[in-house]
Amino acid sequence: AQTVTQSQPEMSVQEAETVTLSCTYDTSENNYYLFWYKQPPSRQMILVIRQEAYKQQNATENRFSVNFQKAAKSFSLKISDSQLGDTAMYFCAFLAYSGAGSYQLTFGKGTKLSVIP
Amino acid sequence: KAGVTQTPRYLIKTRGQQVTLSCSPISGHRSVSWYQQTPGQGLQFLFEYFSETQRNKGNFPGRFSGRQFSNSRSEMNVSTLELGDSALYLCASSPNRLSSPLHFGNGTRLTVT
């Protein structure tokens, strides 16, 4: 079974500063996908960034980038130039083939990020 | 393009009752998956439907069931409700299987009293 661990339940950052959220996972699979999702108070989960395990290059989306360390099974999210609208719960998620034509998405417990003006 | 629509937004039920939640995926999306979100357990996978067939099921009791219609809309049913079923239920859709990025709805907040 796959597990995803987010060791930081809560974090805060000053507006315009940079913050890094940690995520580690455990799997015996070689091919998988990793995601960071954001859930603001509106409750809707929004995809922030996605990484395919077979790609060595770290994914980047504007102010969001990841540090993907496959051997260490680590997938951290860096938010640069933090904005008030970044305040939300952030979930790390892992997707892999689970057999018999099925895929399963496993989420971490989340990190509550607060951006302070 | 309309997003994923979940109805109702809020629901209050009594123990022992049953409930049906609805999810309309983004037009053209064929995969629908369901998740339960609680403060204690976080987000847990319930099941995935693709082409009207359940493709995968999480570790939930048989009281939790679902189905998908030919237009890809999905319903989730919980029978004999328990207090512990109180949660935010999220639905997500993707064009094909789960390998595509998921698009989530706003969820249905279920409270069991």
Side-chain angles (χ1 to χ4, degrees), chain A residues 88-107:
Chain A
M89 282 289 289
Y90 286 81
F91 293 94
C92 178
F94 173 95
L95 174 69
Y97 183 67
S98 59
S102 300
Y103 293 83
Q104 187 158 333
L105 189 64
T106 304
F107 285 89

Side-chain angles (χ1 to χ4, degrees), chain A residues 57-102:
Chain A
Q57 186 173 5
N58 290 323
T60 300
E61 286 288 342
N62 301 315
R63 299 182 294 107
F64 300 88
S65 61
V66 298
N67 183 4
F68 174 46
Q69 302 288 329
K70 190 173 183 179
K73 296 180 182 175
S74 170
F75 182 62
S76 61
L77 174 70
K78 185 171 86 170
I79 306 174
S80 304
D81 186 25
S82 297
Q83 301 175 0
L84 296 178
D86 295 334
T87 294
M89 282 289 289
Y90 286 81
F91 293 94
C92 178
F94 173 95
L95 174 69
Y97 183 67
S98 59
S102 300

Side-chain angles (χ1 to χ4, degrees), chain A residues 33 35 37 39 42-47 50 89 91 95 98-109, chain B residues 9-10 35 37 40-43 45 48 55-56 88 90 97-102 104-109:
Chain A
Y33 300 83
F35 307 88
Y37 280 91
Q39 188 179 39
S42 66
R43 304 182 336 198
Q44 186 170 23
M45 297 279 281
I46 302 165
L47 178 66
R50 167 188 175 176
M89 282 289 289
F91 293 94
L95 174 69
S98 59
S102 300
Y103 293 83
Q104 187 158 333
L105 189 64
T106 304
F107 285 89
K109 296 285 191 187
Chain B
R9 289 292 304 272
Y10 300 92
Y35 302 85
Q37 185 176 18
Q41 298 298 319
L43 276 151
F45 172 77
E48 184 217 357
R55 301 293 176 148
N56 198 5
L88 178 66
L90 292 167
R97 296 303 306 280
L98 284 181
S99 57
S100 305
L102 300 182
F104 284 83
N106 284 332
T108 294
R109 172 76 66 188

Side-chain angles (χ1 to χ4, degrees), chain A residues 3-44:
Chain A
T3 59
V4 178
T5 302
Q6 291 180 250
S7 59
Q8 305 148 315
E10 290 192 45
M11 293 190 75
S12 62
V13 62
Q14 291 290 137
E15 196 175 3
E17 297 293 307
T18 295
V19 64
T20 299
L21 309 184
S22 302
C23 173
T24 58
Y25 57 94
D26 187 27
T27 183
S28 57
E29 298 290 329
N30 195 45
N31 294 317
Y32 50 87
Y33 300 83
L34 292 160
F35 307 88
W36 278 98
Y37 280 91
K38 165 185 175 181
Q39 188 179 39
S42 66
R43 304 182 336 198
Q44 186 170 23

